[in-house]
């Protein structure tokens, strides 16, 4: 489980013709100008890895770009905070990561709350996924192929290698542009356009010419990653074909993923040909993928009523044992439609078939909380945690049930357990501040608010909160010393920023 601990998850409007052209042009240029398409399928040798020993941009500079990008995403991009979805994504990356030729395996995973197909990889080992990717990837093999492709880009440091061909561009000056492109893609608003306008544009022609080799390299390495990790590499061309079908259906408004990851038939054919060279293996999807997919299908339903109708049609006359994911989706849709009693009934039937499945147990606790039965939900989660120590979704739900049951101090303890595992999930710090407030731990409230402000890039607010906490903490205690140390770090960061 060492690799699991190295992962950190931090889980449209219309526009004028000019803005739409501007956004699409720059999105195609750069989020993944890392990720543009090869001109044609060839058997040329893979490019050598460039710049890894210290070229124009260092790994430390990439990390700084990543921190800036993450701060902007936290402030502006809608994200999925669902612990069940985050836990699945983490488990997927955990399965792939040992097969990735990546020196630093500390990743930050970002879940964007959008029904569009999209994924991206940016400096600082950040991998982002739209919720919509689950909707369009019909199998776990297809979903895994996109993640493997993004990890391949990171492993080859394509961003750094691309900048080394653009020697007139200062690496940190690129952070604003990368941020703007990401925000334009994921928010579909003008938030990102201002960031792009304030930075130096790169040469479109040079960028695309250089990145074609990178995209081909990522396809090939991604196939190797999949095969080595026990996935079926044929999932990659299958996913590409799904994207091309969607592109044809949407006509002149292609999926966002294809504006930054353009596909050609030659690329699909090349990937299919390469995938067929791997041994044929029968790789079964895990049920968990389809449960999470159903959960998001309910989440993205046009209305709660439509979500219920969709899953009622899919489950009509079908025993639970034959289509558990669809029945689970119906339970989630019932919850979204404020019918928790029906959700509870369906979930108990699912648990009768698989008593230990964590996803069913956590969702049943959601249904019980919706019926104001916090004590029952709390008991259910305590029992589940006893069988699955340190499980993140169970611990997260326990924090909710304890708080709902009036046990704020216990809720605070579970949230601190999660924060030790995922210190960059800013929503946990907000919830901790709420729990500490209810537990009347004022020092803890200020401390949690300070950490939240740091993650949001608001160092002034963090400084104020830490001063408040330090004033209220007993001098000479470990808490006082810890606060003083953190205050000193923030003060130094503020002074550096003001220089």
């Amino acid at each position: 489980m060492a690799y699991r601990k190295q992962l950190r998850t931090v889980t449209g409007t219309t526009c004028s013709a000019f803005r739409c052209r501007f956004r699409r042009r720059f999105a195609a240029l750069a989020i993944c100008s890392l990720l543009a398409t090869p001109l044609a399928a060839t058997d040329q040798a893979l490019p050598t890895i460039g710049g890894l020993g210290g070229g124009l941009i260092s790994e430390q500079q990439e990390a700084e770009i990543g921190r800036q990008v993450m701060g902007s995403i936290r402030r502006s991009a809608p994200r999925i905070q669902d612990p069940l979805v985050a836990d699945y994504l983490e488990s997927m990356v955990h399965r792939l990561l040992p097969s990735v030729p990546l020196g630093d395996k500390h990743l930050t995973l970002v879940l964007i709350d959008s029904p569009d197909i999209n994924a991206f990889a940016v400096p600082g080992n950040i991998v982002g996924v739209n919720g919509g990717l689950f909707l369009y990837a019909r199998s776990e093999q297809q979903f895994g192929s996109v993640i493997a492709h993004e990890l391949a880009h990171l492993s080859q440091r394509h961003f750094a290698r691309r900048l080394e061909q653009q020697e007139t561009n200062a690496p940190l000056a690129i952070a604003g542009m990368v941020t703007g492109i990401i925000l334009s893609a994921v928010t579909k608003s003008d938030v990102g356009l201002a960031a792009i306008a304030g930075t130096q544009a790169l040469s479109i022609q040079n960028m695309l010419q250089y990145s074609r080799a990178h995209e081909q390299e990522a396809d090939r390495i991604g196939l190797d990653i999949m095969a080595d990790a026990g996935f079926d590499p044929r999932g990659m061309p299958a996913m590409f074909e799904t994207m091309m079908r969607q592109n044809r259906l949407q006509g002149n408004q292609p999926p966002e993923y294809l504006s930054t990851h353009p596909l050609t038939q030659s690329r699909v054919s090349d990937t299919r040909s390469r995938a067929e060279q791997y041994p044929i293996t029968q790789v079964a999807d895990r049920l968990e993928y389809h449960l999470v997919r159903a959960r998001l299908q309910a989440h993205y339903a046009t209305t709660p009523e439509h979500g219920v109708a969709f899953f009622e049609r899919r489950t009509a006359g079908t025993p639970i044992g034959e289509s558990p994911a669809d029945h689970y989706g119906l339970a989630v849709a019932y919850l979204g439609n404020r019918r928790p009693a029906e959700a509870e009934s369906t979930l108990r039937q699912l648990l009768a078939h698989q008593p230990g499945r964590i996803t069913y147990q956590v969702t049943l606790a959601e249904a019980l909380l919706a019926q104001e039965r916090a004590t029952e939900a709390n008991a259910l989660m305590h029992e589940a945690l006893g069988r699955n120590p340190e499980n993140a979704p169970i611990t997260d739900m326990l924090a909710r049930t304890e708080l709902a049951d009036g046990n704020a101090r216990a809720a605070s303890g579970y949230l601190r357990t999660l924060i030790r595992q995922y210190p960059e999930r800013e929503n946990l710090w907000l919830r901790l501040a709420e729990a500490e407030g209810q537990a009347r731990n004022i020092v803890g409230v200020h401390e949690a608010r300070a950490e939240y402000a740091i993650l949001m890039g608001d160092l002034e607010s963090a400084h104020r909160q830490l001063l408040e906490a330090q004033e209220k903490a007993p001098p000479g205690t470990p808490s006082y010393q810890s606060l003083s140390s953190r205050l000193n770090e923030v003060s130094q960061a503020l002074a550096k920023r003001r220089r």
Side-chain angles (χ1 to χ4, degrees):
M1 300 299 288
Y3 286 106
R4 172 178 286 271
K5 294 181 180 178
Q6 292 174 318
L7 300 176
R8 301 188 298 273
T9 312
V10 285
T11 63
T13 57
T14 59
C15 62
S16 69
F18 170 78
R19 286 174 180 159
C20 287
R21 287 196 302 271
F22 183 83
R23 179 178 299 123
R24 191 164 297 282
R25 184 182 183 192
F26 275 93
L29 157 68
I31 242 183
C32 294
S33 41
L34 316 161
L35 310 174
T37 256
L39 284 174
T42 68
D43 289 323
Q44 65 189 40
L46 292 179
T48 57
I49 298 175
L52 298 185
L56 177 67
I57 177 170
S58 67
E59 291 185 8
Q60 290 78 10
Q61 289 172 314
E62 283 192 82
E64 179 58 30
I65 292 172
R67 280 190 288 272
Q68 292 187 37
V69 170
M70 273 308 305
S72 295
I73 288 175
R74 288 190 182 102
R75 290 189 295 272
S76 304
R79 278 165 306 124
I80 297 170
Q81 306 288 5
D82 188 328
L84 288 170
V85 180
D87 191 65
Y88 172 79
L89 179 60
E90 183 179 333
S91 73
M92 165 60 77
V93 176
H94 170 239
R95 291 175 66 192
L96 292 168
L97 202 53
S99 304
V100 180
L102 187 65
D104 179 7
K105 290 185 171 10
H106 291 79
L107 304 184
T108 297
L109 308 180
V110 184
L111 276 162
I112 303 297
D113 193 357
S114 167
D116 297 325
I117 304 175
N118 206 10
F120 56 87
V122 296
N125 279 8
I126 297 169
V127 175
V129 173
N130 277 20
L133 184 61
F134 287 89
L135 305 186
Y136 291 96
R138 297 192 175 186
S139 74
E140 189 172 36
Q141 313 308 308
Q142 292 182 20
F143 183 86
S145 75
V146 177
I147 306 302
H149 182 97
E150 301 302 333
L151 291 173
H153 278 296
L154 286 181
S155 74
Q156 302 307 299
R157 292 191 68 209
H158 282 161
F159 188 88
R161 290 164 60 188
R162 198 172 76 255
L163 286 186
E164 288 173 3
Q165 304 299 307
Q166 303 285 330
E167 295 182 1
T168 59
N169 296 290
L172 294 184
I174 304 303
M177 187 172 183
V178 173
T179 298
I181 295 163
I182 290 175
L183 294 180
S184 283
V186 302
T187 66
K188 294 186 180 298
S189 72
D190 294 340
V191 171
L193 301 186
I196 296 171
T199 60
Q200 179 183 10
L202 303 178
S203 164
I204 295 175
Q205 187 61 32
N206 288 344
M207 188 70 75
L208 292 180
Q209 284 179 346
Y210 183 54
S211 60
R212 288 184 182 114
H214 288 174
E215 189 68 0
Q216 189 173 50
E217 187 175 38
D219 286 345
R220 296 179 184 181
I221 292 174
L223 290 170
D224 284 341
I225 291 170
M226 291 186 72
D228 189 66
F231 289 87
D232 185 354
R234 291 159 185 80
M236 185 176 287
M239 187 66 199
F240 286 170
E241 287 163 355
T242 295
M243 291 177 182
M244 291 195 76
R245 282 195 300 272
Q246 189 63 24
N247 188 27
R248 287 192 292 269
L249 287 174
Q250 293 187 208
N252 62 355
Q253 291 186 324
E256 190 64 51
Y257 190 83
L258 296 189
S259 71
T260 55
H261 303 63
L263 278 173
T264 63
Q265 189 58 54
S266 63
R267 180 180 168 197
V268 177
S269 299
D270 178 59
T271 308
R272 186 189 303 112
S273 174
R274 294 183 184 283
E276 291 300 329
Q277 296 175 23
Y278 293 88
I280 296 176
T281 56
Q282 298 298 321
V283 182
D285 285 356
R286 292 178 298 170
L287 174 59
E288 195 61 30
Y289 173 75
H290 294 281
L291 296 179
V292 170
R293 184 171 185 257
R295 189 173 178 89
L296 287 171
Q297 284 175 314
H299 173 69
Y300 288 121
T302 309
T303 66
E305 293 77 15
H306 287 164
V308 170
F310 173 79
F311 282 107
E312 283 182 339
R313 287 194 299 271
R314 291 184 66 90
T315 57
T318 306
I320 278 184
E322 292 182 14
S323 59
D326 287 334
H327 284 274
Y328 174 73
L330 180 59
V332 176
Y334 281 146
L335 277 173
N337 200 28
R338 299 183 181 181
R339 295 161 64 178
E342 291 165 274
E344 178 189 353
S345 174
T346 301
L347 289 162
R348 291 195 183 280
Q349 292 177 60
L350 287 164
L351 280 166
H353 282 79
Q354 287 187 300
R357 184 164 287 277
I358 292 170
T359 299
Y360 298 160
Q361 294 172 321
V362 169
T363 312
L364 176 57
E366 286 184 81
L368 294 173
L369 279 182
Q371 297 175 78
E372 299 184 353
R373 292 157 60 186
T375 302
E376 288 180 60
N378 198 15
L380 175 67
M381 289 296 93
H382 272 289
E383 183 181 353
L385 190 66
R387 292 194 299 268
N388 305 277
E390 300 183 2
N391 179 268
I394 295 173
T395 304
D396 187 283
M397 183 54 70
L398 256 176
R400 296 181 187 279
T401 60
E402 292 284 13
L403 199 62
D405 208 24
N407 304 319
R409 191 172 297 277
S412 173
Y414 287 119
L415 286 167
R416 288 189 181 276
T417 296
L418 286 171
I419 284 169
R420 283 192 292 273
Q421 200 172 358
Y422 305 104
E424 294 193 359
R425 289 187 184 179
E426 77 281 358
N427 68 306
L428 292 178
W429 290 106
L430 272 185
R431 289 170 58 195
L432 178 61
E434 178 188 1
E436 294 288 27
Q438 292 191 29
R440 306 200 176 193
N441 178 9
I442 305 305
V443 172
V445 171
H446 288 301
E447 179 189 24
R449 287 177 178 171
E451 295 298 332
Y452 171 79
I454 289 169
L455 290 174
M456 301 301 288
D458 188 353
L459 296 183
E460 290 83 0
S461 176
H463 192 266
R464 290 193 300 271
Q465 293 291 341
L466 288 168
L467 280 174
E468 291 275 358
Q470 189 186 51
E471 288 174 5
K472 294 176 173 60
T477 62
S479 176
Y480 184 90
Q481 294 170 356
S482 175
L483 288 166
S484 297
S485 175
R486 193 62 163 153
L487 183 59
N488 184 54
E489 292 173 2
V490 172
S491 297
Q492 290 180 6
L494 273 171
K496 182 179 178 181
R497 176 184 288 181
R498 290 165 181 165
R499 282 202 290 267

